[in-house]
Amino acid sequence: MPFSAELLASVRSGLRAVPPLHKAVRSIRDLADPDRRAMRRMLRRHAGHVLQPYPTTFEGRYPEVFTALSALLWDVPEPAILSFGCSDGSEVRSLRRWFPRARIIGLDPNPRMIREARAHLALNPDRGISYIEANSTDALGDMQFDAILAMAVFRHGRLETEAPDRCDEVLPFAQFDKEVTAMHRHLRPGGWLSVWNGHFRFRDTTIAPHYQARTLTFTREVPLTLLYGRDNRRIDDEPYAEVLFRKREVSAGQE
């Protein structure tokens, strides 16, 4: 006999009311699910440095962004592209369709996702694609890129479900600012940074003055609405659709 939605809700509520039992059930669930096990290992290994812990993704997720970016890089014969937060490599494989001659690197802190990405690459060899397991751009050394994408990275499921007045207990603005500043150092002058599907506005960052923003008119996606400002407070009633940012050309020593 199937359980009713009301009964299931009652059981969940009862578990939450007994913290030790709720914690035990959650631990058992995490141990039984390989994705959750990998996520827990990642959070332990990179404690305090993980942005979006959930690896949910799929191929062809941002066709309008990729199409716009390919037009902007039309004059770069073999662009170097970084997929920051690449998960299982779906974004990297999608980018390959738009950029057949690019050198593409996927970076992600989740060891299971990187193993899956590398396994797919082993079955479908591509000398222009590689993956790095890391929680920051520090692992890139002195690499420079023509485009860096951070899609669905600066967001968190808890913010989505609860929409709290402040985000600092879950994902503070300062962490977003720190990460995009680090990416800025790996982007060539004239290169493009794409930050989308997150909870923050690029215009609020420390490095924003170094960039020119481009707003896309989406047909498949809607502007972001759950946003938080520099003060970590929720911004209400202000849709946001700035997606692509061109790093200004500068002379050596100006930055």
Side-chain angles (χ1 to χ4, degrees):
M1 179 178 178
F3 292 107
S4 68
E6 292 79 5
L7 179 57
L8 289 174
S10 177
V11 170
R12 292 193 185 100
S13 178
L15 289 175
R16 286 193 291 270
V18 186
L21 181 58
H22 181 223
K23 184 177 180 180
V25 170
R26 186 174 58 190
S27 296
I28 293 172
R29 182 186 60 186
D30 289 349
L31 289 172
D33 186 322
D35 286 338
R36 287 182 175 275
R37 288 201 305 270
M39 190 167 70
R40 291 186 69 172
R41 286 196 300 271
M42 174 187 67
L43 292 172
R44 288 196 302 270
R45 184 180 302 181
H46 305 297
H49 298 282
V50 176
L51 299 164
Q52 160 64 287
Y54 303 99
T56 305
T57 189
F58 54 88
E59 292 191 31
R61 192 173 180 182
Y62 304 105
E64 292 172 310
V65 177
F66 297 163
T67 298
L69 185 60
S70 65
L72 295 169
L73 291 176
W74 70 270
D75 59 343
V76 183
E78 298 181 1
I81 300 175
L82 173 66
S83 171
F84 183 83
C86 68
S87 189
D88 65 359
S90 293
E91 182 171 286
V92 170
R93 295 190 291 274
S94 296
L95 284 167
R96 172 53 83 218
R97 296 198 289 273
W98 271 266
F99 299 92
R101 297 176 59 83
R103 176 174 60 87
I104 308 173
I105 293 178
L107 183 149
D108 199 276
N110 189 312
R112 178 178 171 82
M113 294 298 103
I114 291 295
R115 283 198 302 273
E116 289 187 11
R118 287 172 175 164
H120 188 281
L121 183 61
L123 294 173
N124 303 271
D126 186 327
R127 297 179 63 182
I129 289 177
S130 59
Y131 294 99
I132 298 173
E133 181 194 333
N135 67 347
S136 74
T137 57
D138 292 345
L140 298 171
D142 59 357
M143 293 182 189
Q144 293 286 293
F145 298 89
D146 299 293
I148 298 177
L149 296 94
M151 317 295 278
V153 173
F154 301 109
R155 62 183 296 123
H156 198 287
R158 183 175 159 194
L159 294 178
E160 285 292 325
T161 56
E162 300 176 9
D165 291 333
R166 299 183 60 90
C167 67
D168 36 336
E169 290 187 3
V170 180
L171 181 60
F173 176 88
Q175 193 169 5
F176 166 62
D177 195 41
K178 176 184 175 183
E179 295 298 338
V180 294
T181 298
M183 288 188 283
H184 168 72
R185 291 192 286 269
H186 291 276
L187 187 65
R188 294 188 177 107
W192 290 88
L193 179 62
S194 182
V195 181
W196 183 243
N197 202 3
H199 295 310
F200 305 103
R201 301 178 303 191
F202 183 80
R203 69 175 74 152
D204 295 328
T205 64
T206 304
I207 62 168
H210 296 288
Y211 288 78
Q212 293 174 307
R214 175 164 299 206
T215 300
L216 292 186
T217 301
F218 287 112
T219 59
R220 294 180 49 178
E221 299 184 70
V222 296
L224 304 179
T225 54
L226 181 59
L227 298 167
Y228 292 86
R230 293 182 60 87
D231 59 0
N232 295 306
R233 294 185 179 277
R234 194 177 69 220
I235 301 171
D236 293 316
D237 303 321
E238 189 177 328
Y240 175 74
E242 293 177 358
V243 184
L244 292 162
F245 309 90
R246 185 177 185 270
K247 187 174 182 178
R248 299 178 189 275
E249 301 278 359
V250 294
S251 301
Q254 280 189 277
E255 289 192 55

